[in-house]
């Protein structure tokens, strides 16, 4: 559906994307992660044919980006999507339907699907940010696109709407739509995408499923122990567990993934001194910043 | 074609909601009524019917007002989309940039048509009430109506071009006012000054007629005044160019909308969202 190979884009001599290769297959959901200015939006605009690229090749639906065949099959949701405030949601969606050669009568069904049915006849100027975002989603759903390019699609949505939104994406992916989305919300992306691509300074620094990335990052596990009898157990624990530190009333130590079991055995020996124990694997944010930092960001 | 029509329908709706239709209609109606009241005096002296005389006044009015209304409607057309951030999404839809412009043009020409019909219609009604022979002036009024639309299309196209070039509504507004001042006000003043300085020399005979034809507003004025003899009395600068035939003026006027739109498409193609 989408193939980028050795894509390079420069703005005034400064590389915004450098030797980026990436592909998204039919039915695959790929998340593009990165800081602001990492090149996510630029990559998306190149895929859509909105801006030209300098080197490498881009194939969208087996044709050139921005060609009328590519535009027929690609849906886009821009970051901070905007519409003319004087139009109602229904009129705006009806317009987009007609631009895709479909009957305008489908507008209500699309707005219902994103939960905007009740506000359909109000002007977009009166909508909240989340509602505008949902109008954006509704237009991206027009005509079951073969490739969806979504730039921070869930920004401004409440948690319930986010879940509904990912449910819609799951349905589309199951029907064979390829989805490329960017996001800052790592936790939601983890469960809802097949693959992640971390972009940093215009370069792909990591790519794979969350499990792959987690394994390859080899970040330490944090173990938080709550002593049963403060402060005398605390001192015992700090002495018995090398490398541990006191944080408030708790004793915290971190250890590499492969030493986790042996450390736990040692802690279990001290069970009479312990009220509770908590094991915290590296968070998504830790993993993300690990890969981003490695690239010198 | 459906895509262009959908674009036009949406743009027309926006013009309606933004009160552009109301403003344009009110402006044209007000000025037309004032003119037809003021222009009723010389009827008897000229021996022409009242409507023909009113058409002459309306021609002078249209030269100023039609380009102004057209530029006011068009300067925001692309710069506004850029500023609102609606352009990138629109450009990912399967319609070309010229289709976007054609759709906007269609809508804005329709707004202009409504405003002109209201203004000229009122003027005709007022003339007919004062003089039953006024029906003789209907062909002149019809000619004024459709040539005003062509003049409007020229300045709509020019407005789109300026809008695409500046990419910011404020910049586009400044350029539009500049274009209006230059082509409508200063151009004629300059020609007049040159005529006076030349005093019947080569400029007057060889260059001046072409200079009149080159400006769409002057071509519009020439066409309407040359085509209607009764209006010759009201002609100012155009009187000096009486040697220019109506067909030459019409050809210039008919070519200008295409030139302006081609310019707009070329400028729009260079806009990267």
């Amino acid at each position: 559906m989408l193939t980028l190979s050795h894509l390079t884009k420069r703005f005034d001599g400064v590389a915004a994307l450098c030797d980026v290769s990436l592909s998204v297959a039919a039915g695959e959901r790929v998340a593009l992660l990165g800081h602001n200015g990492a090149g996510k939006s630029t990559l998306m605009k190149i895929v859509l044919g909105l801006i030209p690229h300098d080197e490498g090749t881009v194939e969208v639906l087996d044709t050139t980006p921005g060609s009328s065949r590519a535009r027929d099959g690609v849906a886009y949701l821009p970051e901070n999507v905007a519409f003319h405030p004087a139009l109602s949601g229904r009129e705006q969606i009806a317009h987009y339907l007609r631009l895709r050669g479909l009957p305008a009568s489908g507008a209500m069904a699309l707005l219902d699907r994103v939960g905007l049915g009740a506000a359909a006849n109000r002007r977009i100027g009166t909508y909240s940010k989340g509602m505008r975002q949902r109008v954006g989603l509704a237009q991206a759903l027009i005509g079951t696109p073969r490739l969806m390019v979504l730039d921070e699609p869930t920004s401004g949505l409440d948690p319930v709407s986010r879940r509904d939104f990912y449910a819609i994406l799951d349905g589309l992916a199951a029907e064979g739509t390829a989805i490329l989305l960017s996001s800052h919300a790592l936790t939601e992306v983890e469960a809802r995408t097949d693959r992640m691509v971390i972009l940093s300074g215009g370069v792909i620094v990591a790519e794979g499923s969350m499990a792959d990335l987690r394994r390859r990052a080899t970040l330490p596990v944090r173990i938080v122990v709550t002593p049963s009898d403060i402060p005398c157990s605390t001192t015992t624990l700090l002495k018995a567990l090398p490398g541990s530190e006191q944080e408030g009333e708790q004793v915290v130590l971190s250890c590499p993934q492969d030493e986790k079991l042996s450390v736990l055995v040692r802690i279990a020996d001290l069970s009479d001194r312990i009220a509770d124990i908590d094991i915290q694997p590296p968070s998504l944010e830790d993993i993300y910043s690990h890969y981003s930092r490695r690239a010198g960001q | 074609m459906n895509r262009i029509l959908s674009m036009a329908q949406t743009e027309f709706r926006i013009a309606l909601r933004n009160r552009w239709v109301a403003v344009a209609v009110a402006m044209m109606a007000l000025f037309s009524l004032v003119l037809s009241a003021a222009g009723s005096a010389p009827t008897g002296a000229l021996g022409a019917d009242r409507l023909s005389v009113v058409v002459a006044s309306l021609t002078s009015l249209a030269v100023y007002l039609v380009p102004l209304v057209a530029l006011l409607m068009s300067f925001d057309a692309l710069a506004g989309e850029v500023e609102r951030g609606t352009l990138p999404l629109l450009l990912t839809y399967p319609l070309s940039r010229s289709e976007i412009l054609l759709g906007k043009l269609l809508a804005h020409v329709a707004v202009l048509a409504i405003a002109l019909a209201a203004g000229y219609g009122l003027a005709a009604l007022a003339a007919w009430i004062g003089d039953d022979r006024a029906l003789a002036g209907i062909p002149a009024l019809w000619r004024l109506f459709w040539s005003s639309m062509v003049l409007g299309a020229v300045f709509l196209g020019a407005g789109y071009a300026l809008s695409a070039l500046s990419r910011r509504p404020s910049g586009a507004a400044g350029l539009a006012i500049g274009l209006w001042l230059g082509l409508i006000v200063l151009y004629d003043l300059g020609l007049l000054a040159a005529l006076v300085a030349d005093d019947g020399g080569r400029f007057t005979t060889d260059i001046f007629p072409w200079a009149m034809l080159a400006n769409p507003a002057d071509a519009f004025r020439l066409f309407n005044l040359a085509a209607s003899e009764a209006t010759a009395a009201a002609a100012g600068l155009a009187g000096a160019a009486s040697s220019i035939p109506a067909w030459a003026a019409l050809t210039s006027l008919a070519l200008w909308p295409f030139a302006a739109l081609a310019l707009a498409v070329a400028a729009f193609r260079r806009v990267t969202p």
Side-chain angles (χ1 to χ4, degrees), chain A:
Chain A
M1 287 289 148
L2 169 65
T3 313
L4 310 177
S5 61
H6 307 293
L7 172 69
T8 295
K9 168 72 186 172
R10 292 185 199 89
F11 289 112
D12 301 324
V14 180
L17 291 171
C18 190
D19 199 26
V20 170
S21 298
L22 170 70
S23 69
V24 185
E28 197 180 19
R29 298 158 304 171
V30 174
L32 204 54
L33 306 174
H35 295 287
N36 295 327
K40 302 185 302 271
S41 295
T42 304
L43 190 152
M44 289 184 161
K45 285 185 172 175
I46 290 171
V47 168
L48 293 157
L50 290 175
I51 53 176
H53 58 278
D54 296 316
E55 284 161 38
T57 56
V58 181
E59 263 190 30
V60 178
L61 309 178
D62 303 320
T63 180
T64 43
S67 65
S68 68
R69 225 179 75 221
R71 284 198 273 177
D72 267 334
V74 179
Y76 175 45
L77 174 58
E79 188 183 359
N80 300 322
V81 65
F83 304 98
H84 200 289
L87 297 172
S88 73
R90 188 180 190 164
E91 288 162 349
Q92 184 68 75
I93 295 298
H95 176 47
Y96 285 135
L97 277 164
R98 286 189 299 258
L99 290 184
R100 289 213 182 271
L102 296 167
S105 52
M108 254 342 260
L110 277 167
L111 288 168
D112 278 332
R113 200 165 159 197
V114 297
L116 267 185
N121 293 318
R122 267 170 50 199
R123 291 191 191 181
I124 296 178
T126 67
Y127 284 11
S128 68
K129 184 176 187 299
M131 290 166 88
R132 283 201 303 277
Q133 194 68 18
R134 281 192 262 175
V135 178
L137 294 178
Q139 65 81 29
L141 297 174
I142 290 173
T144 324
R146 292 170 63 203
L147 171 66
M148 283 181 110
V149 179
L150 312 168
D151 201 348
E152 303 197 12
T154 54
S155 70
L157 293 185
D158 57 75
V160 177
S161 310
R162 281 174 192 225
R163 213 178 47 204
D164 296 346
F165 164 71
Y166 280 105
I168 292 174
L169 285 198
D170 290 347
L172 283 167
E175 286 170 35
T177 300
I179 298 168
L180 177 68
L181 65 89
S182 73
S183 181
H184 286 309
L186 298 158
T187 33
E188 63 180 54
V189 168
E190 177 192 27
R192 293 299 199 158
T193 55
D194 304 307
R195 198 147 53 86
M196 291 185 205
V197 175
I198 300 180
L199 208 56
S200 179
V203 181
I204 293 184
V205 292
E207 187 180 353
S209 69
M210 196 65 230
D212 290 342
L213 295 181
R214 198 188 286 277
R215 201 171 48 239
R216 273 188 273 146
T218 58
L219 289 176
V221 181
R222 234 167 86 96
I223 299 171
V224 181
V225 182
T226 312
S228 56
D229 175 21
I230 300 163
C232 96
S233 298
T234 311
T235 333
T236 320
L237 285 170
L238 283 171
K239 271 190 201 141
L241 300 169
S244 61
E245 285 169 14
Q246 188 172 358
E247 272 182 26
E249 294 187 339
Q250 281 154 335
V251 174
V252 176
L253 73 161
S254 48
C255 69
Q257 291 275 2
D258 47 3
E259 290 172 23
K260 190 166 60 181
L261 268 180
S262 57
V263 173
L264 280 177
V265 168
R266 225 178 311 149
I267 292 171
D269 288 342
L270 302 159
S271 56
D272 52 331
R273 297 280 186 181
I274 293 172
D276 194 13
I277 179 166
D278 203 6
I279 301 171
Q280 297 171 344
S283 73
L284 294 168
E285 274 73 14
D286 292 337
I287 294 169
Y288 169 69
S289 53
H290 165 77
Y291 284 108
S292 297
R293 233 194 330 264
R294 211 176 49 177
Q297 287 291 300

Side-chain angles (χ1 to χ4, degrees), chain B residues 24 45 50-51 57 78 84 92 106 113 118 121 140 145 179 194 207 210-211 219:
Chain B
R50 193 156 160 176
L51 185 55
S57 318
L78 299 171
R84 275 195 302 279
T92 63
L106 213 59
F145 177 73
L179 181 74
I207 302 172
W210 290 108

